[in-house]
Amino acid sequence: MNLFLLSPELVLCMLGLTLIALDLLLPRERKSLLPYVALVGLIIAAGFTLALSGQQGVSFGGALIVDHLSIFFRLLFLAGTALVVLASIDYVRYTGLPAGEYYASIIFAAIGMMLLASSRELITIYISLELTTIALCILTCLLKRDVKSTEAGLKYILLGALSSAALLYGMALVYGLSGSTILDDIRTALVTTGEEPALILALVFLVAGFGFKMASVPFHMWVPDVYEGAPTPVTAFLSVGSKAAGFVIVLRVFTTAFPAMQGIWLPLFAILAAVTMTLGNVVALRQTNIKRMLGYSSIAQAGYAMVGLSALSPSVTASLLFFLLAYTLTNLGAFIAVIAFSAQAGGDEIEDYNGLAKRAPLLAFGLTLCLLSLTGIPPMAGFTSKLYLFAEALGHGLSWLVVLGLLNSVVSMYYYLRVVRTMYVNVPVVEGMVYVSPPFRLAMWVAIGGMLLLGLYPAPFMEGAKSAVQALLLLAIQA
């Protein structure tokens, strides 16, 4: 057992317990220190993660692995969590959320996501997934006096329980057929099994369980209501962290344990990608609430990302990782702007953004950049990531999916640019400037700076993504 391989998660575990202890011990007026303690802990965890770069090893009897893929996603989760914590500082103060519970739950959710990135054993995967889900459930319903928040928490728990049951059933079938819960052993055991009906059923249940986390159709029902009812920083966290966690574990499980069944699951993900991107974009057209619009937009973006699951190739999978990185920074930037606006001016309806360019020019400009990136307009990261993803998919015979993705991108321009027009063309209903506090400004411009960097200078990040997937896909391609 090599505990150093788990040092980032252990640091975060101590950080979460420290936040709970400080919440109990500190007087009310000093609890404003909690987010800064969380940020310091996240930076330390990132340092330990970077120290693991270049290492490869297995620990806990083969249940956990440290490789380039897990390092990539650990850093992604840590960066996303730090941005959410930074954007929550003023939001928690304005809304009166319990600071200790809030920041500790975010840290424990991040631990679950990081463990998912490293898991290579079914029980460990399930426990990591549940750790993430329980922490996110707590965060979703923390606005105790808000009926929508309570409703969102209830829906997330109930639908999460259904997906959890499907996942467990699928895992049980896989164990029954292979006699092992270790992904590598499952691959070896299933080489001679063939495409048995029970194995196909198991794959369907696994896709259903993981599809809930990825917010893919038809497992997306929880997204709009939960996104609307949850505290806005939690919505931002859900939209990027939960989704990235779903994709990394799908990559790990299907490419490691079921490469021999790729003739079944690759077309399945292609169909899900087509349906998910189309339904997400079409329903987003009708939304008047910006959180619900971004919720359906995130479903559509999950559909684009699933194009990367539709072909088994290092270049396609690397483009998927790059897409997830670009999406995380872009969507967090957009949500941070929404958090900053709602914390000061109130209101989540799109019409509340009338004339925002006159009341908060930098906030409107930042939100515009993020929406243009989500649309896929150059030179933003959204354009570069879609270019990589669609070009690689085209080279692997998925032209019909690429054409559908391009058509959906055109459709998405309507609802993204409608918000831009509302901010710049419409007359403000309420006069007065919108104050954006320094933590909000810092968080938003860090996200936008990263987004522009990915868009203008993508080569090193793409090389890092290729390095992350190379070892993972080697066995799968040979199968």
Side-chain angles (χ1 to χ4, degrees), residues 61-189:
L64 294 169
I65 184 171
V66 173
D67 55 7
H68 294 307
L69 184 71
S70 69
I71 299 290
F72 181 94
F73 275 95
R74 278 169 159 176
L75 290 173
L76 179 69
F77 292 136
L78 286 169
T81 306
L83 283 174
V84 170
V85 169
L86 196 57
S88 301
I89 293 175
D90 284 332
Y91 185 90
V92 169
R93 185 160 51 85
Y94 291 142
T95 54
L97 286 173
E101 291 173 51
Y102 180 82
Y103 292 112
S105 298
I106 285 183
I107 297 301
F108 285 122
I111 295 171
M113 293 172 190
M114 291 170 66
L115 286 174
L116 267 180
S118 303
S119 299
R120 61 192 290 274
E121 192 266 339
L122 295 180
I123 297 173
T124 312
I125 290 169
Y126 181 75
I127 293 172
S128 305
L129 204 63
E130 288 305 294
L131 175 60
T132 307
T133 303
I134 291 169
L136 290 175
C137 281
I138 294 169
L139 287 165
T140 301
C141 55
L142 265 187
L143 290 171
K144 294 173 184 171
R145 295 180 183 175
D146 188 331
V147 176
K148 286 186 176 179
S149 178
T150 308
E151 180 187 345
L154 185 62
K155 285 186 176 176
Y156 194 69
I157 291 170
L158 292 177
L159 294 174
L162 280 176
S163 75
S164 181
L167 186 65
L168 268 181
Y169 194 60
M171 288 179 171
L173 283 172
V174 171
Y175 176 71
L177 291 166
S178 65
S180 176
T181 57
I182 303 285
L183 298 183
D184 288 309
D185 296 342
I186 292 171
R187 181 185 66 246
T188 306

Side-chain angles (χ1 to χ4, degrees), residues 79-352:
T81 306
L83 283 174
V84 170
V85 169
L86 196 57
S88 301
I89 293 175
D90 284 332
Y91 185 90
V92 169
R93 185 160 51 85
Y94 291 142
T95 54
L97 286 173
E101 291 173 51
Y102 180 82
Y103 292 112
S105 298
I106 285 183
I107 297 301
F108 285 122
I111 295 171
M113 293 172 190
M114 291 170 66
L115 286 174
L116 267 180
S118 303
S119 299
R120 61 192 290 274
E121 192 266 339
L122 295 180
I123 297 173
T124 312
I125 290 169
Y126 181 75
I127 293 172
S128 305
L129 204 63
E130 288 305 294
L131 175 60
T132 307
T133 303
I134 291 169
L136 290 175
C137 281
I138 294 169
L139 287 165
T140 301
C141 55
L142 265 187
L143 290 171
K144 294 173 184 171
R145 295 180 183 175
D146 188 331
V147 176
K148 286 186 176 179
S149 178
T150 308
E151 180 187 345
L154 185 62
K155 285 186 176 176
Y156 194 69
I157 291 170
L158 292 177
L159 294 174
L162 280 176
S163 75
S164 181
L167 186 65
L168 268 181
Y169 194 60
M171 288 179 171
L173 283 172
V174 171
Y175 176 71
L177 291 166
S178 65
S180 176
T181 57
I182 303 285
L183 298 183
D184 288 309
D185 296 342
I186 292 171
R187 181 185 66 246
T188 306
L190 294 181
V191 165
T192 56
T193 303
E195 296 178 359
E196 285 192 5
L199 186 54
I200 296 172
L201 187 63
L203 292 183
V204 171
F205 278 118
L206 291 180
V207 170
F210 295 135
F212 178 83
K213 288 294 169 199
M214 295 189 295
S216 74
V217 176
F219 316 108
H220 67 289
M221 295 82 75
W222 59 278
V223 172
D225 292 335
V226 172
Y227 275 34
E228 184 181 2
T232 311
V234 176
T235 305
F237 196 41
L238 273 169
S239 72
V240 294
S242 175
K243 193 174 270 79
F247 275 96
V248 66
I249 201 58
V250 163
L251 269 179
R252 179 81 72 188
V253 169
F254 282 83
T255 57
T256 306
F258 308 112
M261 306 286 288
Q262 58 184 274
I264 294 173
W265 56 264
L266 287 177
L268 180 60
F269 281 123
I271 293 168
L272 285 178
V275 176
T276 302
M277 69 173 81
T278 304
L279 187 138
N281 278 316
V282 170
V283 181
L285 291 172
R286 298 176 55 83
Q287 301 307 310
T288 57
N289 181 290
I290 196 162
K291 288 170 72 177
R292 289 182 75 88
M293 187 207 80
L294 289 173
Y296 280 106
S297 150
S298 81
I299 294 172
Q301 298 286 340
Y304 299 138
M306 289 177 79
V307 173
L309 297 175
S310 307
L312 201 57
S313 148
S315 57
V316 175
T317 309
S319 65
L320 165 62
L321 264 58
F322 185 80
F323 182 90
L324 290 174
L325 180 59
Y327 170 74
T328 297
L329 291 170
T330 305
N331 217 44
L332 277 179
F335 264 111
I336 290 166
V338 171
I339 298 165
F341 175 76
S342 65
Q344 278 296 317
D348 290 322
E349 296 298 316
I350 293 176
E351 64 181 18
D352 294 328

Side-chain angles (χ1 to χ4, degrees), residues 12 56 84 133 236 304 347 364 388 402 424 438:
L12 289 190
Q56 184 138 354
V84 170
T133 303
Y304 299 138
Y388 277 127
V402 173
Y424 282 91

